[in-house]
Amino acid sequence: MAYVPGVALLAALAVGCSAGSDGSATDADSKPGGPTVTTAPPGKYRTLPAPCRAVPSSTLKDLLPGVAELPRQQQEKALRGSPTITYDTDRKVGCSWKADAPDSSRNLSIDFERVVSYDPLVSDDDRARSLYVKKENAAELPGSSTPGTAPEKGAPTGTGGGEKGQEKETGKAGDGTGSADPSPSASAGTSSGTPGTPGGGGEDLRPRVVDGLGDAAFLDDLLTRAGSTAQHRTVSVVFRTSNVIVTVRYGEQPALVTKVPDSKELQDKAQALARKLAEVISE
């Protein structure tokens, strides 16, 4: 029987174990025919614009007529806006402005939300699309005939829901005070372009899907009255572009109790601002 020194025997055993370990690791890593996991692509946008600087001063002066009548120092402060308090500025930011004029007060707010999907199988865009559809469904647009189903982009609006703005619960949009006023005075206002009635150009001013704005967009219009005070109208434009959802809210409350805020003017200006913000995001 051949004699093997103890040191040589230990070395041989070590080599054998090492080879066995390498072999088993290789076998575990290589799985022929195994499924390939594909991670969903990230969203187009990784950052958000500075909200209080996203709207040019000239545009703010047009949207908030009372600003021009303020002393210079107060005017500069009003144009700076008030940033929305958020805990993750990489995901959600916003800004608001307000100005009072002798005949009315107006308020404006914008919000940017960058949607991130933490599910590797769901893309940021798909997650943003899902959140946007929920917002559109919650708006209960007249053209959405099936509850819980948002109408396709560009689909024609229905014939009903003309007084939807008066039936909504205050606080969904607007100044958050008072309750919706179902009285005739709140829904008359044909000269002011009340939703459900044609405006000066004969267009339909009801809440609706908006074409040509981002990947999908809709407009909402809410008229409310707080007790015996003047009526307040808020127009909201919400749109999605890739994995970013933008909300514009533009409101007016006249000084006179009998005056109804002009729906067409507010809608036109809110849409124009939304289109500018879409360009800002794309830059």
Side-chain angles (χ1 to χ4, degrees):
M1 181 175 181
Y3 172 75
V4 180
V7 175
L9 178 61
L10 290 175
L13 291 174
V15 170
C17 292
S18 177
S21 299
D22 291 342
S24 61
T26 303
D27 293 340
D29 290 342
S30 58
K31 298 178 181 179
T36 301
V37 179
T38 303
T39 303
K44 178 180 179 180
Y45 300 105
R46 302 295 184 91
T47 60
L48 292 171
C52 291
R53 296 199 297 269
V55 185
S57 296
S58 57
T59 301
L60 286 173
K61 290 179 181 179
D62 178 56
L63 295 172
L64 308 168
V67 168
E69 302 176 15
L70 296 173
R72 182 171 181 176
Q73 188 173 2
Q74 295 181 28
Q75 184 178 139
E76 292 176 351
K77 181 180 179 180
L79 292 175
R80 281 198 296 269
S82 302
T84 302
I85 298 176
T86 62
Y87 299 98
D88 188 351
T89 55
D90 287 333
R91 293 284 304 279
K92 192 170 184 178
V93 294
C95 193
S96 61
W97 299 262
K98 183 177 181 181
D100 296 323
D103 59 342
S104 68
S105 63
R106 300 205 184 193
N107 58 280
L108 169 70
S109 69
I110 60 175
D111 292 290
F112 298 93
E113 181 178 1
R114 185 175 67 90
V115 180
V116 177
S117 171
Y118 294 102
D119 186 339
L121 301 180
V122 179
S123 69
D124 294 345
D125 279 20
D126 287 341
R127 177 61 179 159
R129 184 181 296 106
S130 176
L131 293 177
Y132 168 82
V133 168
K134 288 182 179 180
K135 291 176 181 290
E136 188 174 312
N137 286 339
E140 300 175 352
L141 304 183
S144 182
S145 57
T146 304
T149 303
E152 293 295 329
K153 182 177 179 181
T157 56
T159 57
E163 301 306 326
K164 167 179 167 289
Q166 282 70 42
E167 296 170 356
K168 276 192 174 182
E169 196 177 303
T170 303
K172 276 185 168 185
D175 59 353
T177 60
S179 59
D181 184 3
S183 64
S185 61
S187 59
T190 53
S191 61
S192 298
T194 300
T197 62
E203 64 268 51
D204 189 351
L205 297 176
R206 292 175 300 172
R208 60 196 180 277
V209 169
V210 177
D211 291 325
L213 176 57
D215 296 319
F218 71 88
L219 178 148
D220 203 0
D221 193 317
L222 176 64
L223 182 65
T224 59
R225 181 195 290 274
S228 60
T229 62
Q231 299 177 80
H232 187 283
R233 183 185 298 281
T234 298
V235 171
S236 301
V237 178
V238 181
F239 70 91
R240 179 185 72 84
T241 174
S242 187
N243 62 315
V244 172
I245 298 176
V246 181
T247 301
V248 174
R249 293 186 182 90
Y250 182 43
E252 178 186 11
Q253 179 169 313
L256 297 177
V257 177
T258 56
K259 186 177 179 182
V260 180
D262 190 337
S263 183
K264 181 175 178 1
E265 179 196 359
L266 297 180
Q267 289 191 20
D268 287 348
K269 290 186 175 182
Q271 287 189 76
L273 175 57
R275 295 183 190 282
K276 288 182 180 179
L277 294 179
E279 296 175 358
V280 170
I281 294 175
S282 300
E283 290 178 352

